[in-house]
Amino acid sequence: MINRFYLENYLSFEKIDLEFDKGLVVFTGPSGAGKSVLMSSILSLFGTTDSNARLSEIVLEDLNIEDENFGIENDDEIIIKQTTAAKTRYLLNNQTISKKNLKIFTSSFSKHMHLKDITDFDSRKIVKFLDFLTTLKNKDYQNILNEFSSKYDEYKVLKDRLQKISQDEKELDDLIEYTKFEIDKISKIDPKVDEYDELKELKSNLSKKDKFDDIFSEIQPMLNETHKISNALQLLDVDCSFFDDAVSEANNHFEKFQDSVSDQEDMDIESVLTRIEDLSSLNKKFGGIQEALDYKKAKEIELEGYENISFEKAILEKNVKKTSLEIETLASKISQIRKENIVYLEEKVNEYLEYLYLENLTISITEQSLDDTGIDEIVFTLNDTALNKISSGEFNRLRLALLTARSFYEIDTNGILFLDEIDANLSGKESESIAKVLAQLSKSYQIFAISHQPQLSATAHHHFMVKKVDNKSTVKLLNKEERVDEIARMISGENITNEALEFARKLL
C-alpha cells in the first residue's frame, strides 16, 4: 500500500505531504480544486501518466514482492521518486529507472481502472485468469496446460520449418542454380590457405631479379678479389675473421636469392599475377581464404539439403499432422475443463452485480482458431446484450464486479487500485451500490478514488478534501464533523441546508 505521498511545485499545488492507510481513500472537493491533478501526480509515480512536478515521491510498504534487480526483498519499504530538473527522471529506491520499466514493475501490484480501458474483458486475459482459477480447483490441470504449451511450441517450430521448405521448394531451381554458382566460383579458383601470402612474396622476388642481376654483375669482380683484403689485414697482424664472416654472409644471401628465383625462371609471371588477382577477390569478398573455404562448405551442405528437400518435406508434413492432432485433442480437453469451471467466475461476478443493480451476466466460451491459448474465446453478454451495446454506466459497474470477483481469488497481497470517474453520472441508488462493492474490494486493495457522490464519500475509510484558494490548492484529511459538512455540500451545493447535514450524518 501507499504509506506516504509528497508533492512539490506542481501546477496549483505548492507542497503537500500526505499519509495514507489501508482501505478506501476518497478525494472530494469543488470542481477545479485540483482533484484530477492530485490523482494524476500520484499515478505518474506508477508510470501510467505524466507529471511535471519539480519533485514527487511515494513510500510503499506491505507489498510482499521481491526484485533482485533493485535489491528489494519481502517486507522492504519501497520509495519511488520523480524529479524534473533538466529532464524528468524516475528513481526506484535511489536507482534510476525508465518510465516503461517503472510501469512494468508497479503493474504487479497496482491497477488503474479508467473509462477508456476495455482490456479487462480481453478474451486472452480472461482465459489466463480462468486457467488460474481452474488450477486452484484442479491441481492436475496445470500439467495438461504445460503439455499443451510444450506441444504447441513444437508444432509452431515444425510448421514454420515446413512453411520455409514449401517456400524454398517454389524457388528450388533458382536456389540450386545460385548455390552451385557460388560453389563453382570458389572451386574454380581452388584456393589454398596461406597461398596468397606466398604468391605475393614470389611476385616481390621476381620483380627484384632483373635489378639484382645488374648489380651483381658489377660487384662480382670485387667478390672475387676479397682474399686480397684478407691477406692485407693479416700482414698488419689484424684478425681478418670479421671481414671473412661478413663476405661469407653476403655470399650466402646472394646464393639463397639466386636459388629461390632459379626455380621460378620458367614461371609465367602473367599467370602468377592472375592467380594473385583471383585470390585477392576472394579476400575482399569473404575476408580471407579460410572464410571463403568455410562459405563453400556451408553452401555444399545447403545444396545437399535442397537435394533432400522433398524427402524432408514429406517427413515434416507427417510430423505436423501428428502434432496438430495431439494439440487439437489437448485443446478440446482444456476447453471442456474451462467450460466446467467458467460457471464459478460467472456466479461470482453475478453475485457482485446484484449489489450493483445489474443481473443476468452470461460468460460463454465459443470456438476460435487454434492459438497458444487453445481454441476458446470468452464472450460476455449482459441481459443478452453484447458489451459494446450496453451503457457506459453499466459497463463501468460490470468491470467493477469482474475486478472484485477476480480479487476474491487472486489477490493475496495488498494491491493498489486507482479508480477514474467510478461514480460519475450515477443515481444515488447506483452510487450506493458502487460504495458497497468498493467496501468489499477494499479488503484486497488499497483503493484511491475521486468521488462525485455522497454515498461513496461516506463509505470511505479515509476522506480527503481538495480545496483551492487564490489559485493555490491544498489537501486535508477530514475528521468526522468536517466530513459531515463536505458530504452535505455534495448533497445541497455551497448553501448547505439542515436537511443535507442530517442526511450526511445518516450516510456516515
Side-chain angles (χ1 to χ4, degrees):
M1 72 168 192
I2 300 176
N3 175 269
R4 176 176 175 263
F5 171 66
Y6 178 81
L7 178 68
E8 190 176 303
N9 290 347
Y10 183 45
L11 298 177
S12 57
F13 290 94
E14 288 186 347
K15 184 185 291 187
I16 56 173
D17 194 349
L18 305 175
E19 292 185 358
F20 302 117
D21 209 333
K22 297 178 180 179
L24 174 60
V25 180
V26 167
F27 299 108
T28 66
S31 297
K35 301 183 295 295
S36 295
V37 172
L38 176 63
M39 182 72 88
S40 177
S41 63
I42 297 174
L43 284 168
S44 71
L45 291 164
F46 289 76
T48 58
T49 63
D50 295 313
S51 167
N52 292 320
R54 193 183 76 81
L55 175 65
S56 57
E57 179 181 295
I58 54 170
V59 180
L60 304 165
E61 62 179 26
D62 297 333
L63 291 177
N64 299 325
I65 61 173
E66 294 184 358
D67 192 302
E68 293 182 2
N69 294 327
F70 293 92
I72 297 172
E73 298 181 355
N74 273 338
D75 300 325
D76 278 358
E77 183 179 80
I78 298 170
I79 299 175
I80 302 174
K81 185 182 296 185
Q82 176 195 329
T83 64
T84 54
K87 63 178 183 178
T88 302
R89 293 177 64 226
Y90 298 92
L91 299 160
L92 174 57
N93 283 4
N94 290 321
Q95 296 183 56
T96 301
I97 185 172
S98 69
K99 182 180 177 181
K100 179 181 178 181
N101 288 334
L102 176 61
K103 187 174 182 179
I104 293 171
F105 172 77
T106 57
S107 65
S108 65
F109 56 83
S110 69
K111 183 175 180 63
H112 177 207
M113 196 171 91
H114 53 91
L115 291 175
K116 295 179 181 179
D117 183 13
I118 60 172
T119 60
D120 287 331
F121 296 96
D122 178 73
S123 180
R124 291 179 66 89
K125 281 189 175 182
I126 300 298
V127 164
K128 186 177 180 181
F129 173 71
L130 184 56
D131 286 342
F132 164 77
L133 179 61
T134 303
T135 303
L136 294 178
K137 300 178 179 296
N138 182 353
K139 300 301 181 184
D140 294 332
Y141 182 64
Q142 187 61 55
N143 295 330
I144 301 173
L145 289 176
N146 291 341
E147 186 180 358
F148 172 81
S149 180
S150 177
K151 283 289 180 184
Y152 186 82
D153 289 343
E154 180 185 343
Y155 171 74
K156 283 289 291 178
V157 170
L158 291 171
K159 196 170 181 181
D160 288 347
R161 177 62 183 153
L162 179 59
Q163 185 176 1
K164 184 180 185 306
I165 283 181
S166 299
Q167 185 64 36
D168 288 347
E169 194 175 41
K170 294 177 184 177
E171 306 165 357
L172 193 57
D173 291 339
D174 290 340
L175 285 168
I176 290 175
E177 184 179 347
Y178 173 74
T179 305
K180 284 183 175 179
F181 171 76
E182 290 286 281
I183 294 170
D184 290 344
K185 193 164 57 175
I186 299 172
S187 296
K188 285 177 181 177
I189 297 175
D190 192 22
K192 305 291 187 296
V193 178
D194 298 330
E195 181 186 5
Y196 181 70
D197 292 333
E198 291 171 0
L199 288 176
K200 290 266 289 185
E201 184 180 356
L202 172 59
K203 178 186 173 185
S204 176
N205 287 342
L206 289 173
S207 66
K208 293 175 184 177
K209 183 178 182 303
D210 290 338
K211 292 179 181 179
F212 176 78
D213 288 345
D214 291 341
I215 295 173
F216 191 74
S217 64
E218 293 177 9
I219 65 173
Q220 184 67 52
M222 290 185 281
L223 291 173
N224 293 335
E225 301 294 331
T226 55
H227 65 282
K228 294 179 180 179
I229 297 174
S230 297
N231 292 338
L233 288 171
Q234 288 175 359
L235 286 173
L236 297 174
D237 295 327
V238 176
D239 185 359
C240 64
S241 59
F242 75 92
F243 178 73
D244 293 339
D245 289 343
V247 172
S248 177
E249 186 173 353
N251 276 321
N252 286 337
H253 284 296
F254 297 150
E255 290 173 2
K256 183 178 179 182
F257 178 76
Q258 288 171 325
D259 289 343
S260 67
V261 297
S262 64
D263 296 335
Q264 301 159 357
E265 286 179 351
D266 297 331
M267 187 173 289
D268 182 4
I269 185 64
E270 289 301 322
S271 65
V272 172
L273 294 175
T274 301
R275 183 69 176 168
I276 289 174
E277 188 177 338
D278 289 342
L279 294 172
S280 178
S281 68
L282 293 180
N283 272 329
K284 286 180 181 178
K285 183 173 182 179
F286 300 104
I289 300 302
Q290 184 60 59
E291 288 78 4
L293 293 171
D294 291 343
Y295 177 79
K296 175 174 170 282
K297 184 177 180 180
K299 284 296 176 184
E300 288 170 342
I301 294 172
E302 191 175 313
L303 181 61
E304 185 180 343
Y306 290 141
E307 291 169 348
N308 294 329
I309 195 168
S310 296
F311 176 74
E312 185 179 356
K313 183 183 177 184
I315 296 295
L316 275 171
E317 285 175 335
K318 182 179 178 181
N319 287 336
V320 165
K321 185 176 181 180
K322 174 177 174 289
T323 310
S324 177
L325 288 172
E326 291 173 343
I327 290 173
E328 288 172 5
T329 301
L330 286 168
S332 296
K333 187 175 183 179
I334 289 169
S335 181
Q336 183 59 41
I337 296 173
R338 285 171 178 165
K339 287 173 182 175
E340 292 170 0
N341 284 273
I342 201 168
V343 63
Y344 298 112
L345 178 60
E346 183 180 276
E347 288 174 354
K348 203 66 182 176
V349 176
N350 274 310
E351 179 184 325
Y352 291 112
L353 284 178
E354 285 186 29
Y355 290 107
L356 297 168
Y357 301 105
L358 291 175
E359 57 184 0
N360 297 328
L361 171 74
T362 302
I363 309 177
S364 57
I365 295 179
T366 61
E367 188 169 332
Q368 62 162 18
S369 299
L370 178 72
D371 64 14
D372 60 335
T373 66
I375 55 172
D376 297 322
E377 181 177 6
I378 310 297
V379 178
F380 288 79
T381 54
L382 188 66
N383 291 315
D384 297 323
T385 304
L387 294 191
N388 60 351
K389 293 183 178 179
I390 65 176
S391 70
S392 60
E394 289 174 323
F395 183 77
N396 225 20
R397 282 180 283 161
L398 178 56
R399 288 175 61 207
L400 184 59
L402 176 63
L403 180 65
T404 309
R406 289 187 59 162
S407 72
F408 180 83
Y409 294 105
E410 67 183 353
I411 299 298
D412 57 2
T413 61
N414 295 323
I416 303 169
L417 176 64
F418 298 95
L419 302 176
D420 186 12
E421 305 290 332
I422 192 65
D423 62 353
N425 304 317
L426 295 181
S427 68
K429 180 180 178 182
E430 292 169 338
S431 181
E432 183 180 1
S433 70
I434 291 278
K436 287 180 180 179
V437 173
L438 287 182
Q440 175 67 30
L441 192 58
S442 67
K443 295 176 183 179
S444 301
Y445 287 94
Q446 182 189 36
I447 303 175
F448 290 85
I450 295 172
S451 181
H452 301 273
Q453 301 281 2
Q455 289 83 358
L456 180 56
S457 302
T459 306
H461 300 100
H462 316 286
H463 185 169
F464 289 84
M465 180 179 177
V466 183
K467 190 175 181 181
K468 183 187 283 186
V469 178
D470 296 331
N471 206 36
K472 292 182 181 179
S473 295
T474 56
V475 186
K476 181 183 180 183
L477 176 63
L478 302 182
N479 60 33
K480 186 172 182 179
E481 283 307 309
E482 290 168 333
R483 291 184 72 186
V484 170
D485 291 340
E486 171 61 5
I487 292 171
R489 181 197 65 78
M490 298 172 74
I491 296 168
S492 64
E494 295 302 323
N495 297 318
I496 300 174
T497 64
N498 289 330
E499 290 80 6
L501 288 169
E502 185 61 29
F503 186 52
R505 291 191 182 95
K506 183 178 178 181
L507 284 176
L508 285 168

